[in-house]
Amino acid sequence: MAALNWILSLGAAVMLPIIIFVFGLIMGAGLSKSFRSGVTIGIGFTGINLVINLLTSELGPAAQAMTKRLGLNLKIIDIGWPAMSSISWAWVAAGLMIPIVLIINFIMLSLKLTKTMDVDIWNFWQFSFIGAAVTATSGSVVMGIVAASVAAIIALLLADYTQPYVENYFGMPGISFPHLTALGFLPIVIPLNWLLNHIPGINRLNANPETIRKKFGIFGEPMAMGLIIGIALGILGGLDAASILKLGIAMAAVMYLMPKMVAVLMEGLIPISEAAREFMAKHFGDRQIFIGLDAAVSLGEPSVIAVGLLLVPITIFLAIILPGNQILPFADLAVIPFLVCLITAMSKGNVIHSLIIGTVVMALVLLFATNLSPAETKMALTAGVTIPEGASQIGNLDRANFITWIIVKLFSLF
């Protein structure tokens, strides 16, 4: 566990280049190309993390100001996914989940049950979270391992299902997202998306970055959209003029820089993806294989960030009016773009449809987060984490998706 924890502590920006380098060698890409791809991907992920950290650091104070201004007094504190990932890795069987998920992935690939090779090992913590939550509620470690394994199987199947959207909308051939944050609401998103496309009037509503750019010129460009949204968030938070302007520029920077960081990452991925296709064609005919990555690579699409930012005040407003909600959204508000990236892709970039579906999703996120909080609080106490002062329970928005919630509830019955 000490060795495993050291490897995990390196983070995705170091782990993924090592994995890609080894994967490239296995696929026959050669030492030089594999090394270059691995380092380039590491640079891309580092850049993405820097932009996400900018988003988090600037958005957090604005969200906190909004919640104080609205007088929210909710007993469950949103501690954010970084803290929850550490708690999940502290689960007694967390170390086993890496080899278990890799074996499941290998078996499914061998039996042609999936085309996705999940190299996003860092995010296996999402499966460990499910196992830890089931263990906390049922008392059974074995049942927790089974639940986590089922979640991994579902993630691989849904990654295959959504791969065409990743390829066609985000322009990422051979890439899929076995990432439960992005996949977790698909059973709800799919029918909602179909419904919006068939309701007269609503099905004609369409606004995407391209049409907005054509209609509003410079004010429709991603950086201008980020500036406007940032200023609006600052005003809603009651910030002073200087802070409002700083937030506006920060959000403009996020909208402008994120696509460039994703482009760097894709520069490293393309040679490995091509080598994988050649390897599969040589050894397994024309069989496809997808490289499973963190949904963070989708944040280069302006509509994803735009929808995510617009949902911040909507989520805070929902926290006030939603019956049954007890969680104070804060640390994980910056995760909203991850939650809506596939919603945006399935809506073909339609910001209006994405916002409607996203609003429904965020209402459910708050309710699921409230419902999962007792298990998460117990997990934290077991891991030796101190509950923040003023909170009776802890929770987070990142893990409060439909698939995670339903698996935890079902397996906690046994």
Side-chain angles (χ1 to χ4, degrees), residues 282-373:
K282 182 178 179 180
H283 293 87
F284 301 97
D286 293 327
R287 188 182 170 195
Q288 280 184 307
I289 185 168
F290 307 137
I291 300 175
L293 292 178
D294 189 324
V297 300
S298 70
L299 302 191
E301 177 58 42
S303 57
V304 173
I305 295 291
V307 172
L309 291 177
L310 289 170
L311 280 171
V312 169
I314 291 173
T315 301
I316 293 173
F317 179 69
L318 286 171
I320 302 171
I321 66 169
L322 193 63
N325 174 59
Q326 288 296 319
I327 190 165
L328 177 66
F330 172 56
D332 265 347
L333 286 170
V335 167
I336 296 177
F338 291 79
L339 290 163
V340 300
C341 63
L342 286 176
I343 295 173
T344 307
M346 296 174 79
S347 299
K348 298 179 181 178
N350 188 329
V351 174
I352 297 173
H353 284 193
S354 299
L355 271 176
I356 294 171
I357 298 173
T359 300
V360 175
V361 163
M362 292 315 300
L364 292 173
V365 164
L366 292 171
L367 294 178
F368 291 152
T370 298
N371 189 259
L372 288 171
S373 175

Coordinates of all heavy atoms in Angstrom, one line a residue, residues 282-373:
K282 N -3.1 -5.4 -37.2 CA -2.1 -6.5 -37.5 C -2.4 -7.8 -36.8 O -2.3 -8.9 -37.4 CB -0.7 -5.9 -37.1 CG 0.4 -6.9 -37.5 CD 1.7 -6.3 -37.1 CE 2.9 -7.3 -37.4 NZ 4.2 -6.7 -37.0
H283 N -2.9 -7.7 -35.5 CA -3.0 -8.9 -34.7 C -4.5 -9.3 -34.6 O -4.8 -10.5 -34.3 CB -2.5 -8.6 -33.3 CG -1.0 -8.5 -33.3 ND1 -0.4 -7.2 -33.5 CD2 0.0 -9.4 -33.1 CE1 0.9 -7.4 -33.4 NE2 1.2 -8.6 -33.2
F284 N -5.4 -8.4 -34.8 CA -6.8 -8.8 -34.6 C -7.7 -8.3 -35.7 O -8.9 -8.0 -35.5 CB -7.4 -8.2 -33.3 CG -6.6 -8.6 -32.1 CD1 -5.6 -7.8 -31.5 CD2 -6.9 -9.8 -31.5 CE1 -4.9 -8.2 -30.4 CE2 -6.2 -10.2 -30.3 CZ -5.2 -9.4 -29.8
G285 N -7.2 -8.3 -36.9 CA -8.0 -7.8 -38.1 C -8.2 -6.3 -38.0 O -7.3 -5.6 -37.7
D286 N -9.4 -5.9 -38.3 CA -9.8 -4.5 -38.3 C -10.4 -4.1 -37.0 O -11.1 -3.0 -37.0 CB -10.7 -4.1 -39.5 CG -10.0 -4.3 -40.8 OD1 -8.8 -4.1 -40.8 OD2 -10.6 -4.7 -41.8
R287 N -10.2 -4.8 -35.9 CA -10.9 -4.5 -34.7 C -10.4 -3.2 -34.1 O -9.2 -2.9 -34.1 CB -10.6 -5.6 -33.7 CG -11.4 -5.4 -32.4 CD -11.1 -6.5 -31.4 NE -11.7 -6.2 -30.1 CZ -11.3 -6.8 -29.0 NH1 -10.4 -7.8 -29.0 NH2 -11.9 -6.5 -27.8
Q288 N -11.4 -2.3 -33.7 CA -11.1 -1.0 -33.1 C -10.7 -1.2 -31.6 O -11.2 -2.1 -30.9 CB -12.3 -0.1 -33.2 CG -12.5 0.5 -34.5 CD -13.6 1.5 -34.5 OE1 -14.7 1.2 -34.1 NE2 -13.4 2.8 -34.9
I289 N -9.9 -0.2 -31.2 CA -9.6 -0.1 -29.7 C -9.6 1.3 -29.4 O -9.0 2.2 -30.1 CB -8.3 -0.8 -29.3 CG1 -8.1 -0.8 -27.8 CG2 -7.1 -0.2 -30.0 CD1 -7.0 -1.7 -27.3
F290 N -10.3 1.7 -28.3 CA -10.4 3.1 -27.9 C -9.5 3.3 -26.6 O -9.4 2.4 -25.8 CB -11.8 3.5 -27.5 CG -12.8 3.2 -28.6 CD1 -14.0 2.7 -28.3 CD2 -12.5 3.5 -29.9 CE1 -15.0 2.4 -29.3 CE2 -13.4 3.3 -30.9 CZ -14.7 2.7 -30.6
I291 N -8.9 4.4 -26.5 CA -8.1 4.7 -25.3 C -9.0 5.5 -24.4 O -9.5 6.6 -24.7 CB -6.8 5.6 -25.7 CG1 -5.9 4.8 -26.7 CG2 -6.1 6.0 -24.4 CD1 -4.7 5.6 -27.2
G292 N -9.2 4.9 -23.2 CA -10.1 5.5 -22.2 C -9.4 6.6 -21.4 O -8.4 6.3 -20.7
L293 N -9.9 7.8 -21.4 CA -9.2 8.9 -20.7 C -10.2 9.7 -19.8 O -11.4 9.5 -19.9 CB -8.7 9.9 -21.8 CG -7.5 9.5 -22.6 CD1 -7.1 10.6 -23.6 CD2 -6.3 9.1 -21.8
D294 N -9.6 10.5 -19.0 CA -10.3 11.4 -18.1 C -11.1 12.4 -19.0 O -10.6 12.9 -20.0 CB -9.3 12.2 -17.3 CG -9.9 13.1 -16.2 OD1 -11.0 13.6 -16.4 OD2 -9.3 13.2 -15.1
A295 N -12.4 12.7 -18.6 CA -13.2 13.6 -19.4 C -12.7 15.0 -19.3 O -13.2 15.9 -20.0 CB -14.7 13.6 -18.8
A296 N -11.6 15.3 -18.6 CA -11.0 16.6 -18.6 C -10.6 17.1 -20.0 O -10.6 18.3 -20.3 CB -9.8 16.6 -17.6
V297 N -10.3 16.1 -20.8 CA -9.9 16.5 -22.2 C -11.0 17.1 -23.0 O -10.7 17.7 -24.1 CB -9.3 15.3 -23.0 CG1 -8.1 14.7 -22.2 CG2 -10.3 14.2 -23.2
S298 N -12.2 17.0 -22.5 CA -13.4 17.6 -23.3 C -13.6 19.0 -22.9 O -14.4 19.7 -23.6 CB -14.7 16.8 -22.9 OG -15.0 17.1 -21.6
L299 N -12.9 19.5 -21.9 CA -13.1 20.9 -21.5 C -12.5 22.0 -22.4 O -12.7 23.1 -22.2 CB -12.5 21.1 -20.1 CG -13.0 20.2 -19.0 CD1 -12.6 20.7 -17.6 CD2 -14.5 20.0 -19.0
G300 N -11.9 21.5 -23.5 CA -11.4 22.5 -24.5 C -12.6 23.0 -25.4 O -12.4 23.9 -26.1
E301 N -13.7 22.3 -25.3 CA -14.9 22.8 -26.1 C -15.6 24.0 -25.4 O -16.0 23.8 -24.2 CB -15.9 21.6 -26.2 CG -17.1 21.9 -27.0 CD -16.9 22.5 -28.4 OE1 -16.0 22.0 -29.1 OE2 -17.6 23.5 -28.7
P302 N -15.6 25.1 -26.0 CA -16.2 26.3 -25.4 C -17.6 26.1 -24.8 O -17.9 26.7 -23.7 CB -16.2 27.4 -26.5 CG -15.1 26.9 -27.4 CD -15.1 25.4 -27.4
S303 N -18.4 25.4 -25.5 CA -19.8 25.3 -25.0 C -19.9 24.5 -23.7 O -20.7 24.7 -22.8 CB -20.7 24.5 -26.0 OG -20.1 23.3 -26.4
V304 N -18.9 23.6 -23.5 CA -18.9 22.8 -22.2 C -18.6 23.7 -21.0 O -19.3 23.7 -20.0 CB -17.8 21.7 -22.3 CG1 -17.7 21.0 -20.9 CG2 -18.2 20.7 -23.3
I305 N -17.6 24.6 -21.2 CA -17.2 25.5 -20.1 C -18.3 26.5 -19.9 O -18.7 26.9 -18.8 CB -15.9 26.2 -20.4 CG1 -14.7 25.2 -20.4 CG2 -15.6 27.3 -19.4 CD1 -14.4 24.7 -19.1
A306 N -18.9 27.0 -21.0 CA -20.0 28.0 -20.9 C -21.2 27.5 -20.2 O -21.7 28.1 -19.2 CB -20.4 28.5 -22.3
V307 N -21.6 26.3 -20.5 CA -22.8 25.7 -19.8 C -22.4 25.4 -18.4 O -23.2 25.7 -17.5 CB -23.2 24.3 -20.5 CG1 -24.2 23.6 -19.7 CG2 -23.7 24.6 -21.9
G308 N -21.2 24.9 -18.1 CA -20.8 24.7 -16.7 C -20.8 25.9 -15.9 O -21.2 25.9 -14.7
L309 N -20.3 27.0 -16.4 CA -20.3 28.3 -15.7 C -21.7 28.8 -15.4 O -22.0 29.4 -14.3 CB -19.4 29.3 -16.4 CG -17.9 29.1 -16.4 CD1 -17.2 30.1 -17.3 CD2 -17.3 29.0 -15.0
L310 N -22.5 28.8 -16.4 CA -23.9 29.2 -16.3 C -24.7 28.5 -15.3 O -25.6 29.0 -14.6 CB -24.6 29.2 -17.7 CG -24.1 30.2 -18.7 CD1 -24.7 29.9 -20.1 CD2 -24.5 31.6 -18.3
L311 N -24.3 27.2 -15.1 CA -25.0 26.3 -14.1 C -24.6 26.6 -12.7 O -25.2 26.1 -11.7 CB -24.8 24.9 -14.5 CG -25.7 24.3 -15.6 CD1 -25.2 22.9 -16.0 CD2 -27.1 24.3 -15.2
V312 N -23.5 27.4 -12.5 CA -23.1 27.7 -11.1 C -24.1 28.4 -10.3 O -24.6 28.0 -9.2 CB -21.7 28.4 -11.1 CG1 -21.4 28.9 -9.7 CG2 -20.6 27.5 -11.6
P313 N -24.6 29.6 -10.8 CA -25.6 30.3 -10.0 C -27.0 29.5 -10.0 O -27.7 29.6 -9.0 CB -25.8 31.6 -10.8 CG -25.3 31.4 -12.1 CD -24.2 30.4 -12.0
I314 N -27.3 28.8 -11.1 CA -28.5 28.0 -11.1 C -28.4 26.9 -10.0 O -29.4 26.7 -9.3 CB -28.6 27.3 -12.5 CG1 -29.0 28.4 -13.5 CG2 -29.7 26.2 -12.4 CD1 -29.0 27.8 -15.0
T315 N -27.2 26.3 -9.8 CA -27.1 25.2 -8.8 C -27.2 25.8 -7.4 O -27.9 25.2 -6.5 CB -25.7 24.6 -8.9 OG1 -25.6 24.0 -10.2 CG2 -25.5 23.5 -7.9
I316 N -26.7 27.0 -7.2 CA -26.8 27.7 -5.9 C -28.3 28.0 -5.6 O -28.8 27.8 -4.5 CB -25.9 28.9 -5.8 CG1 -24.4 28.4 -5.8 CG2 -26.2 29.7 -4.5 CD1 -23.4 29.6 -5.9
F317 N -28.9 28.5 -6.6 CA -30.4 28.8 -6.5 C -31.2 27.6 -6.2 O -32.1 27.6 -5.3 CB -30.9 29.5 -7.7 CG -32.3 29.9 -7.7 CD1 -32.8 30.9 -6.9 CD2 -33.3 29.2 -8.5 CE1 -34.2 31.2 -6.8 CE2 -34.6 29.5 -8.5 CZ -35.1 30.5 -7.6
L318 N -30.9 26.5 -6.9 CA -31.5 25.2 -6.6 C -31.3 24.7 -5.2 O -32.2 24.2 -4.6 CB -31.0 24.1 -7.6 CG -31.5 24.2 -9.0 CD1 -30.7 23.2 -9.9 CD2 -33.0 24.0 -9.2
A319 N -30.1 25.0 -4.7 CA -29.8 24.6 -3.3 C -30.8 25.3 -2.3 O -31.1 24.7 -1.2 CB -28.4 24.8 -2.9
I320 N -31.2 26.5 -2.7 CA -32.1 27.2 -1.8 C -33.5 26.7 -1.8 O -34.2 26.5 -0.8 CB -32.1 28.7 -2.2 CG1 -30.7 29.3 -2.1 CG2 -33.1 29.5 -1.3 CD1 -30.6 30.7 -2.7
I321 N -34.0 26.4 -3.0 CA -35.4 26.2 -3.2 C -35.8 24.7 -3.2 O -37.0 24.3 -3.1 CB -36.0 26.8 -4.5 CG1 -35.3 26.2 -5.7 CG2 -35.7 28.3 -4.5 CD1 -36.0 26.6 -7.1
L322 N -34.8 23.8 -3.4 CA -35.1 22.4 -3.6 C -35.5 21.7 -2.3 O -34.7 21.6 -1.4 CB -33.9 21.7 -4.3 CG -34.1 20.3 -4.9 CD1 -35.1 20.4 -6.0 CD2 -32.8 19.7 -5.3
P323 N -36.7 21.2 -2.2 CA -37.1 20.5 -1.0 C -36.3 19.2 -0.8 O -36.0 18.5 -1.8 CB -38.6 20.1 -1.3 CG -39.0 21.0 -2.4 CD -37.8 21.3 -3.2
G324 N -35.8 19.0 0.4 CA -35.0 17.8 0.7 C -33.5 18.0 0.6 O -32.7 17.2 1.1
N325 N -33.0 19.1 -0.1 CA -31.6 19.4 -0.2 C -31.0 19.9 1.1 O -31.6 20.8 1.8 CB -31.3 20.4 -1.3 CG -29.8 20.8 -1.3 OD1 -29.0 19.9 -1.5 ND2 -29.5 22.0 -1.1
Q326 N -29.9 19.3 1.5 CA -29.2 19.7 2.7 C -27.7 20.0 2.5 O -27.0 20.3 3.5 CB -29.3 18.6 3.8 CG -30.8 18.5 4.4 CD -31.2 19.8 5.1 OE1 -30.4 20.4 5.9 NE2 -32.4 20.2 4.9
I327 N -27.3 20.0 1.3 CA -25.8 20.2 1.0 C -25.6 21.6 0.5 O -26.4 22.1 -0.3 CB -25.3 19.2 0.0 CG1 -23.7 19.3 -0.1 CG2 -25.9 19.3 -1.4 CD1 -23.1 18.1 -0.7
L328 N -24.5 22.2 1.0 CA -24.1 23.5 0.6 C -23.1 23.4 -0.5 O -22.0 23.0 -0.3 CB -23.5 24.3 1.8 CG -23.0 25.7 1.5 CD1 -24.1 26.6 1.1 CD2 -22.2 26.2 2.7
P329 N -23.5 23.7 -1.8 CA -22.6 23.5 -2.9 C -21.5 24.5 -2.8 O -21.7 25.7 -2.7 CB -23.5 23.7 -4.1 CG -24.6 24.5 -3.7 CD -24.8 24.2 -2.2
F330 N -20.2 24.0 -2.9 CA -19.1 25.0 -2.9 C -17.9 24.4 -3.6 O -17.6 24.8 -4.7 CB -18.7 25.3 -1.4 CG -17.5 26.1 -1.3 CD1 -17.3 27.3 -1.9 CD2 -16.4 25.6 -0.5 CE1 -16.2 28.1 -1.8 CE2 -15.3 26.4 -0.4 CZ -15.1 27.6 -1.0
A331 N -17.2 23.5 -3.0 CA -15.9 23.0 -3.5 C -16.0 22.4 -4.8 O -15.1 22.4 -5.7 CB -15.2 22.1 -2.5
D332 N -17.1 21.7 -5.1 CA -17.2 20.9 -6.4 C -18.0 21.7 -7.5 O -18.3 21.1 -8.5 CB -17.9 19.6 -6.1 CG -16.9 18.5 -5.9 OD1 -15.7 18.7 -6.3 OD2 -17.3 17.4 -5.5
L333 N -18.2 23.0 -7.3 CA -18.9 23.7 -8.3 C -18.1 23.8 -9.6 O -18.6 23.8 -10.7 CB -19.2 25.2 -7.9 CG -20.4 25.3 -6.8 CD1 -20.4 26.7 -6.3 CD2 -21.7 24.9 -7.5
A334 N -16.8 23.7 -9.5 CA -15.9 23.7 -10.6 C -15.9 22.4 -11.4 O -15.4 22.3 -12.5 CB -14.5 24.0 -10.2
V335 N -16.6 21.4 -10.8 CA -16.7 20.0 -11.4 C -17.9 20.0 -12.4 O -18.0 19.1 -13.3 CB -16.9 19.0 -10.4 CG1 -17.3 17.6 -10.9 CG2 -15.6 18.8 -9.6
I336 N -18.8 21.0 -12.4 CA -20.0 21.0 -13.2 C -19.6 20.8 -14.7 O -20.3 20.0 -15.4 CB -20.8 22.3 -13.0 CG1 -21.3 22.3 -11.6 CG2 -22.0 22.3 -14.0 CD1 -22.1 23.5 -11.2
P337 N -18.6 21.4 -15.3 CA -18.3 21.1 -16.7 C -18.0 19.6 -17.0 O -18.4 19.1 -18.1 CB -17.0 21.9 -17.0 CG -17.1 23.1 -16.0 CD -17.7 22.5 -14.8
F338 N -17.5 18.9 -16.0 CA -17.3 17.5 -16.2 C -18.6 16.7 -16.3 O -18.8 15.8 -17.0 CB -16.4 16.9 -15.0 CG -15.0 17.3 -15.0 CD1 -14.6 18.6 -14.5 CD2 -14.0 16.5 -15.5 CE1 -13.3 19.0 -14.5 CE2 -12.7 16.9 -15.4 CZ -12.3 18.1 -15.0
L339 N -19.5 17.2 -15.4 CA -20.9 16.6 -15.4 C -21.6 16.8 -16.7 O -22.5 15.9 -17.0 CB -21.7 17.1 -14.2 CG -21.2 16.7 -12.8 CD1 -21.8 17.7 -11.7 CD2 -21.6 15.3 -12.5
V340 N -21.4 17.9 -17.3 CA -22.2 18.3 -18.5 C -21.5 18.1 -19.8 O -22.1 18.4 -20.9 CB -22.8 19.7 -18.4 CG1 -23.6 19.9 -17.1 CG2 -21.6 20.7 -18.4
C341 N -20.3 17.6 -19.8 CA -19.6 17.5 -21.1 C -20.2 16.6 -22.1 O -20.4 17.0 -23.3 CB -18.1 17.1 -20.9 SG -17.9 15.5 -20.2
L342 N -20.7 15.5 -21.7 CA -21.4 14.6 -22.6 C -22.8 15.0 -22.9 O -23.3 14.8 -24.0 CB -21.4 13.1 -22.1 CG -20.0 12.4 -22.2 CD1 -20.1 11.0 -21.5 CD2 -19.6 12.3 -23.6
I343 N -23.4 15.7 -22.0 CA -24.7 16.3 -22.2 C -24.6 17.3 -23.4 O -25.4 17.3 -24.3 CB -25.3 17.1 -21.0 CG1 -25.5 16.1 -19.8 CG2 -26.5 17.9 -21.3 CD1 -25.9 16.7 -18.5
T344 N -23.6 18.1 -23.3 CA -23.3 19.1 -24.4 C -23.1 18.4 -25.7 O -23.6 18.9 -26.8 CB -22.1 20.0 -24.0 OG1 -22.4 20.6 -22.7 CG2 -22.0 21.2 -25.0
A345 N -22.3 17.4 -25.7 CA -22.0 16.6 -26.9 C -23.2 16.0 -27.5 O -23.4 16.1 -28.7 CB -20.9 15.6 -26.7
M346 N -24.1 15.4 -26.7 CA -25.3 14.8 -27.2 C -26.3 15.8 -27.6 O -27.2 15.5 -28.5 CB -25.9 13.9 -26.1 CG -25.0 12.7 -25.7 SD -25.5 11.7 -24.3 CE -26.8 10.7 -25.1
S347 N -26.2 17.0 -27.1 CA -27.0 18.1 -27.6 C -26.4 18.8 -28.8 O -27.0 19.9 -29.2 CB -27.3 19.1 -26.5 OG -27.9 18.5 -25.3
K348 N -25.3 18.3 -29.3 CA -24.6 18.9 -30.4 C -24.2 20.4 -30.2 O -24.3 21.2 -31.1 CB -25.5 18.8 -31.7 CG -25.7 17.3 -32.1 CD -26.6 17.2 -33.4 CE -26.9 15.8 -33.7 NZ -27.8 15.6 -34.9
G349 N -23.9 20.6 -29.0 CA -23.4 22.0 -28.6 C -24.5 23.0 -28.4 O -24.2 24.2 -28.2
N350 N -25.8 22.5 -28.4 CA -26.9 23.4 -28.1 C -26.9 23.8 -26.7 O -27.3 23.1 -25.8 CB -28.2 22.7 -28.5 CG -29.4 23.6 -28.5 OD1 -29.4 24.6 -27.7 ND2 -30.4 23.3 -29.3
V351 N -26.5 25.1 -26.4 CA -26.4 25.6 -25.1 C -27.7 25.6 -24.3 O -27.8 25.3 -23.1 CB -25.7 27.0 -25.1 CG1 -25.7 27.6 -23.7 CG2 -24.3 26.9 -25.6
I352 N -28.8 25.9 -25.0 CA -30.1 26.0 -24.4 C -30.6 24.6 -23.9 O -31.0 24.5 -22.8 CB -31.1 26.6 -25.4 CG1 -30.7 28.1 -25.7 CG2 -32.5 26.6 -24.8 CD1 -31.6 28.7 -26.8
H353 N -30.5 23.6 -24.8 CA -30.9 22.3 -24.4 C -30.0 21.8 -23.3 O -30.5 21.1 -22.4 CB -30.8 21.4 -25.7 CG -32.0 21.5 -26.6 ND1 -32.3 20.6 -27.6 CD2 -32.9 22.5 -26.7 CE1 -33.3 21.0 -28.3 NE2 -33.7 22.2 -27.7
S354 N -28.7 22.0 -23.4 CA -27.7 21.6 -22.4 C -28.0 22.2 -21.1 O -27.9 21.5 -20.0 CB -26.3 21.9 -22.8 OG -26.0 21.3 -24.1
L355 N -28.4 23.5 -21.1 CA -28.8 24.1 -19.8 C -30.0 23.6 -19.2 O -30.1 23.4 -18.0 CB -29.0 25.6 -20.0 CG -27.7 26.5 -19.9 CD1 -28.1 28.0 -20.3 CD2 -27.1 26.5 -18.5
I356 N -31.0 23.2 -20.0 CA -32.3 22.6 -19.5 C -32.0 21.3 -18.8 O -32.4 21.0 -17.7 CB -33.3 22.5 -20.6 CG1 -33.8 23.9 -21.1 CG2 -34.5 21.7 -20.1 CD1 -34.6 23.8 -22.4
I357 N -31.3 20.4 -19.6 CA -30.9 19.1 -19.1 C -30.0 19.2 -17.9 O -30.1 18.6 -16.9 CB -30.3 18.2 -20.2 CG1 -31.2 18.0 -21.3 CG2 -29.8 16.9 -19.6 CD1 -30.6 17.3 -22.5
G358 N -29.0 20.2 -18.0 CA -28.1 20.4 -16.9 C -28.7 20.8 -15.6 O -28.3 20.5 -14.5
T359 N -29.8 21.6 -15.7 CA -30.5 22.1 -14.5 C -31.2 20.9 -13.8 O -31.2 20.8 -12.6 CB -31.6 23.1 -14.9 OG1 -30.9 24.3 -15.5 CG2 -32.4 23.6 -13.7
V360 N -31.8 20.0 -14.6 CA -32.4 18.8 -14.1 C -31.4 17.9 -13.4 O -31.6 17.5 -12.3 CB -33.2 18.0 -15.2 CG1 -33.7 16.7 -14.6 CG2 -34.3 18.8 -15.8
V361 N -30.2 17.8 -14.1 CA -29.1 17.0 -13.5 C -28.6 17.6 -12.2 O -28.4 16.8 -11.2 CB -28.0 16.9 -14.6 CG1 -26.7 16.4 -13.9 CG2 -28.4 15.9 -15.7
M362 N -28.4 18.9 -12.2 CA -27.9 19.5 -10.9 C -28.9 19.4 -9.8 O -28.4 19.3 -8.6 CB -27.5 20.9 -11.2 CG -26.3 21.1 -12.1 SD -24.9 20.0 -11.8 CE -24.4 20.4 -10.1
A363 N -30.2 19.4 -10.1 CA -31.2 19.3 -9.0 C -31.0 17.8 -8.4 O -31.0 17.7 -7.2 CB -32.6 19.5 -9.6
L364 N -30.8 16.9 -9.3 CA -30.7 15.5 -8.8 C -29.3 15.3 -8.1 O -29.2 14.6 -7.1 CB -30.7 14.5 -10.0 CG -32.1 14.4 -10.7 CD1 -32.0 13.6 -12.0 CD2 -33.1 13.8 -9.7
V365 N -28.3 16.0 -8.6 CA -27.0 15.9 -7.9 C -27.1 16.4 -6.5 O -26.6 15.7 -5.6 CB -26.0 16.8 -8.7 CG1 -24.7 17.1 -7.8 CG2 -25.5 16.2 -10.0
L366 N -27.8 17.5 -6.2 CA -28.0 17.9 -4.8 C -28.7 16.9 -4.0 O -28.4 16.7 -2.8 CB -28.8 19.3 -4.9 CG -28.0 20.5 -5.5 CD1 -29.0 21.6 -5.7 CD2 -26.8 20.9 -4.7
L367 N -29.8 16.3 -4.5 CA -30.5 15.3 -3.8 C -29.7 14.0 -3.5 O -29.7 13.5 -2.4 CB -31.8 15.0 -4.5 CG -32.8 16.1 -4.7 CD1 -34.1 15.7 -5.4 CD2 -33.3 16.6 -3.3
F368 N -29.0 13.6 -4.5 CA -28.2 12.4 -4.4 C -27.0 12.6 -3.4 O -26.7 11.8 -2.6 CB -27.6 11.9 -5.7 CG -28.6 11.4 -6.7 CD1 -28.4 11.4 -8.0 CD2 -29.8 10.7 -6.2 CE1 -29.3 10.9 -8.9 CE2 -30.7 10.2 -7.1 CZ -30.5 10.3 -8.4
A369 N -26.4 13.9 -3.5 CA -25.4 14.2 -2.5 C -25.9 14.2 -1.1 O -25.2 13.8 -0.2 CB -24.8 15.6 -2.9
T370 N -27.1 14.8 -0.9 CA -27.7 14.8 0.4 C -27.9 13.4 0.9 O -27.6 13.0 2.1 CB -29.0 15.5 0.4 OG1 -28.8 16.9 0.0 CG2 -29.7 15.5 1.7
N371 N -28.4 12.5 0.0 CA -28.7 11.1 0.4 C -27.4 10.3 0.7 O -27.4 9.4 1.6 CB -29.5 10.5 -0.7 CG -30.1 9.1 -0.3 OD1 -29.5 8.1 -0.7 ND2 -31.1 9.1 0.5
L372 N -26.4 10.6 0.0 CA -25.1 9.8 0.2 C -24.3 10.3 1.3 O -23.3 9.7 1.7 CB -24.3 9.8 -1.1 CG -24.8 9.0 -2.3 CD1 -24.0 9.3 -3.6 CD2 -24.7 7.5 -2.0
S373 N -24.6 11.5 1.8 CA -23.8 12.1 2.9 C -23.5 11.3 4.1 O -22.4 11.2 4.6 CB -24.4 13.4 3.3 OG -23.7 14.0 4.3

